[in-house]
Amino acid sequence: MRARSALVYTVLRLLAFVIPLGILLLFPVFQELPWLAAVFAALIGLSLSLLFLRRPLDQVTGGLAERRAARTATGRRSGAEADADAEDAVLDASAPPTDAAAEPAKPETTER
C-alpha cells in the first residue's frame, strides 16, 4: 500500500464531512443545534464518499491486499499473530496436566 493513496483518501473523506458541516452551520437552525448539523454532515459525507471516492478506496484496499499477500507468500507473520502464539504457549505451560480418564471430584452433599 502506498502511503500517498491512503493519505489522499483520508483527506478526501474528511473534506466530505467538513465542507457540508461548515455550510450547514451557516443556517440559523443548525447554529442552535450543532449536533444535528454534525449528523447531517456525516450522512452527506458518507453519501458523497460512496458515490465519488470509489477509486481512491479501491487503491487503498488493493494496496492492503497486496501487502497481506506478500506477507503470506514470504511466511512472515504479523505482530498480533506472534503475540497470540506466545500467549497460548504461556497458558499451555502453566495449565495443570489433565487426565482424560479422571473425572472431576464431586462435592459431597449431606441430605437432611
Side-chain angles (χ1 to χ4, degrees):
M1 174 185 75
R2 294 184 2 203
R4 184 177 183 274
S5 62
L7 182 64
V8 167
Y9 179 69
T10 302
V11 168
L12 290 175
R13 283 290 306 258
L14 285 172
L15 287 175
F17 172 74
V18 171
I19 292 173
L21 180 64
I23 292 170
L24 287 173
L25 286 176
L26 294 175
F27 294 105
V29 172
F30 292 116
Q31 288 176 353
E32 294 177 16
L33 302 170
W35 61 270
L36 189 59
V39 169
F40 282 129
L43 293 173
I44 292 169
L46 176 66
S47 301
L48 290 174
S49 67
L50 288 175
L51 291 173
F52 299 113
L53 299 181
R54 179 63 58 192
R55 184 171 293 149
L57 178 61
D58 288 341
Q59 290 175 351
V60 172
T61 56
L64 288 173
E66 289 172 6
R67 277 183 63 187
R68 184 161 186 101
R71 178 179 288 153
T72 303
T74 60
R76 287 187 7 210
R77 296 172 10 158
S78 69
E81 292 170 339
D83 188 42
D85 288 342
E87 289 176 0
D88 290 343
V90 169
L91 288 175
D92 291 342
S94 66
T98 58
D99 186 13
E103 293 183 19
K106 295 181 183 176
E108 293 183 25
T109 58
T110 57
E111 296 182 22
R112 295 186 185 188

